[in-house]
């Protein structure tokens, strides 16, 4: 007997995070040096999608990215992880969200985020039906005020 892997739908924002590890946060206008730096994908639902795919689930992701280099990197990352990206919207002229995150040695963080409000758009009704068809579970984050509620209806 063949057992089908569960299908998880993840809906929400996708972000590229630039993470700087520092000894301490700046206390005023100054320059501080990072002890490490990494560029990673971010967003609660996006991170859940990758974790679930790595654990063997079938995953569909519903999100929007710009038609820019950052958006292409995020799409490529999902594809490399085996995630269905057919419900990802690519929006011409809209920048993909990015964040600069500073983390101190105690794990506290500060973030600067660039998010264009035009990134939050709804999937067409037919796409929502196809997205949810046969899905076993849904993970949705609250950072997309138009996309996520339309899926939850």
């Amino acid at each position: 007997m063949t057992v089908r892997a569960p299908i998880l739908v993840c809906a929400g924002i996708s972000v590229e995070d630039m993470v700087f590890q520092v000894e301490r946060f700046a206390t005023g206008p100054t320059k501080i040096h990072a002890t490490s730096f990494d560029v990673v994908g971010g967003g609660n639902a996006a991170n859940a999608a990758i974790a679930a795919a790595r654990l063997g689930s079938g995953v569909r992701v519903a999100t929007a990215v710009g038609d820019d280099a950052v958006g292409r990197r995020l799409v490529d990352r999902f594809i490399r992880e085996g995630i269905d990206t057919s419900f990802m919207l690519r929006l011409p002229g809209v920048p993909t969200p990015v964040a600069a995150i500073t983390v101190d040695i105690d794990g506290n963080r500060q973030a600067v985020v660039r998010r264009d409000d035009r990134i939050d758009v709804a999937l067409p009704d037919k796409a929502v039906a196809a997205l949810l068809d046969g899905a076993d579970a849904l993970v949705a984050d609250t950072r997309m005020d138009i996309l996520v509620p339309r899926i939850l209806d």
Side-chain angles (χ1 to χ4, degrees):
M1 177 170 99
T2 303
V3 177
R4 175 181 70 82
I7 297 173
L8 177 65
V9 170
C10 295
I13 196 164
S14 290
V15 181
E16 184 170 83
D17 292 339
M18 294 168 282
V19 183
F20 299 85
Q21 180 76 42
V22 297
E23 296 272 331
R24 59 180 167 65
F25 294 130
T27 57
T30 188
K31 182 189 291 187
I32 58 173
H33 294 277
T35 57
S36 69
F37 171 76
D38 201 7
V39 178
V40 297
N44 293 342
N47 290 339
I50 289 171
R54 289 179 180 176
L55 291 170
S57 291
V59 181
R60 300 174 191 151
V61 66
T63 189
V65 295
D67 187 20
D68 55 15
V70 174
R72 287 188 290 280
R73 282 193 298 271
L74 293 174
V75 171
D76 289 347
R77 180 173 183 236
F78 285 128
I79 291 169
R80 281 193 313 273
E81 296 287 348
I83 294 169
D84 181 349
T85 60
S86 58
F87 301 97
M88 286 185 76
L89 301 173
R90 285 100 166 152
L91 306 175
V94 178
T96 301
V98 295
I101 301 170
T102 307
V103 182
D104 73 8
I105 59 174
D106 295 321
N108 299 309
R109 69 183 181 103
Q110 295 178 340
V112 178
V113 179
R114 183 203 65 197
R115 178 187 181 266
D116 189 307
D117 288 339
R118 296 175 295 162
I119 203 75
D120 191 5
V121 296
L123 289 172
D125 289 338
K126 281 181 149 178
V128 172
L131 171 71
L132 298 175
D133 185 46
D136 297 299
L138 169 68
V139 172
D141 73 38
T142 58
R143 292 178 180 88
M144 300 287 270
D145 297 333
I146 297 171
L147 175 80
V148 170
R150 181 82 174 268
I151 293 168
L152 296 175
D153 281 344

